[in-house]
Amino acid sequence: MACFVNKVVIVTGASAGIGAATAVRFAQEGANVAIVGRNQERLAKVAEDCAKYGRNPLVIKADVSKDDEARSIVAKTVEAFDKLDILVNNAGIYKYDDIQKPDFMEIFDSIMTTNMRAVAFLTNLAVPYLIESKGNIVNVSSIAGRCVGHPHRTSYKTSKAALNHFTRCIALELAPHGVRVNSVSPGPVATEIFNTAGLPDALTTLKDATALGRVGESEEIADLILFVASDKAKSITGSDYVSDNGMLLKQ
């Protein structure tokens, strides 16, 4: 029997990569999914993939970094399904930066706004409904939040380190209400984020940097997210699950 029948799930950054794979897996397991992203065409494709399992998702075109649009995500989901059980904060951006360059703060602010502030705001909006449903939150972080190597990624790494600590703090705060909060930290995964960042060849280098000599697939991370969000993990909160093909072992 499907694990998430009639559960209501929001997945941000669902138009591609890990978010898309996660949305489809939740639909496959019987959930009502709200898929959130900025690319309408890609969202439509993900919606088709979800619908193959008998569940038409709620498609929400929104930029999580904009407060009004973030508000609409939670409002539209609750309006459509009357509740919220799981929030997957997956939306994120990745850019190179250089502390010596004039555009450093512009890049820093844009990354922190999307990768950290938007998560905090969406969590704030979703919490009343999650307390009511005794639901949970899964934040998609990165092993970049744990390591310092490889320069010119300061903004991204700082955002993910902040996200990890935010996860732990909110897990403690919401535990008395029966709401679990965890994070998943992938290593390199074959997604569009590198192309979007203008780094199409990055995966080749990153593959060689892993102990297992491979990069992850979006579906692997989706499966981990579903486990953490499921009742199989009902004793787990404030934890960070790493799936990196052993990359941290070589840092």
Side-chain angles (χ1 to χ4, degrees):
M1 183 176 180
C3 296
F4 295 95
V5 172
N6 296 325
K7 296 292 186 181
V8 177
V9 185
I10 292 174
V11 182
T12 67
S15 59
I18 293 169
T22 301
V24 172
R25 287 288 289 114
F26 271 118
Q28 188 177 5
E29 293 293 332
N32 291 308
V33 187
I35 57 174
V36 182
R38 295 178 295 177
N39 188 307
Q40 188 75 56
E41 185 177 341
R42 287 183 177 179
L43 283 174
K45 174 62 171 65
V46 177
E48 288 180 7
D49 291 340
C50 290
K52 292 175 183 177
Y53 300 101
R55 295 279 178 167
N56 289 313
L58 175 64
V59 178
I60 304 175
K61 184 179 182 298
D63 183 340
V64 296
S65 70
K66 297 178 180 177
D67 284 3
D68 287 346
E69 296 185 28
R71 287 188 185 94
S72 76
I73 294 167
V74 175
K76 288 178 179 179
T77 301
V78 174
E79 181 182 359
F81 301 118
D82 296 320
K83 65 171 184 168
L84 175 62
D85 297 288
I86 300 163
L87 171 63
V88 180
N89 286 306
N90 171 70
I93 58 174
Y94 176 87
K95 298 177 184 177
Y96 268 17
D97 57 21
D98 187 331
I99 193 66
Q100 300 182 65
K101 297 290 179 62
D103 66 351
F104 176 80
M105 285 310 303
E106 179 184 345
I107 294 172
F108 182 87
D109 286 344
S110 67
I111 289 177
M112 290 298 291
T113 296
T114 298
N115 293 8
M116 184 60 250
R117 187 186 182 282
V119 172
F121 189 46
L122 276 172
T123 300
N124 173 251
L125 295 169
V127 157
Y129 305 102
L130 294 172
I131 289 175
E132 185 176 347
S133 66
K134 297 294 188 286
N136 71 87
I137 300 168
V138 183
N139 295 323
V140 179
S141 186
S142 167
I143 61 167
R146 293 176 175 231
C147 62
V148 178
H150 307 290
H152 304 302
R153 299 166 176 84
T154 298
S155 301
Y156 182 75
K157 291 183 176 184
T158 300
S159 74
K160 294 303 185 179
L163 180 57
N164 291 344
H165 205 53
F166 175 81
T167 299
R168 291 186 288 268
C169 290
I170 300 305
L172 179 62
E173 190 168 335
L174 294 180
H177 301 284
V179 176
R180 300 185 300 109
V181 188
N182 294 288
S183 58
V184 168
S185 287
V189 178
T191 71
E192 286 294 313
I193 195 169
F194 296 103
N195 289 330
T196 303
L199 305 166
D201 301 321
L203 280 174
T204 301
T205 301
L206 291 170
K207 177 180 176 181
D208 294 337
T210 68
L212 293 177
R214 67 183 295 274
V215 298
E217 298 291 337
S218 295
E219 290 74 17
E220 298 172 42
I221 309 304
D223 285 341
L224 183 55
I225 291 169
L226 264 72
F227 166 73
V228 173
S230 75
D231 286 343
K232 294 178 181 179
K234 61 186 176 183
S235 295
I236 300 171
T237 196
S239 294
D240 180 41
Y241 280 76
V242 172
S243 176
D244 71 341
N245 287 290
M247 188 173 186
L248 283 176
L249 298 175
K250 298 183 71 173
Q251 297 299 302

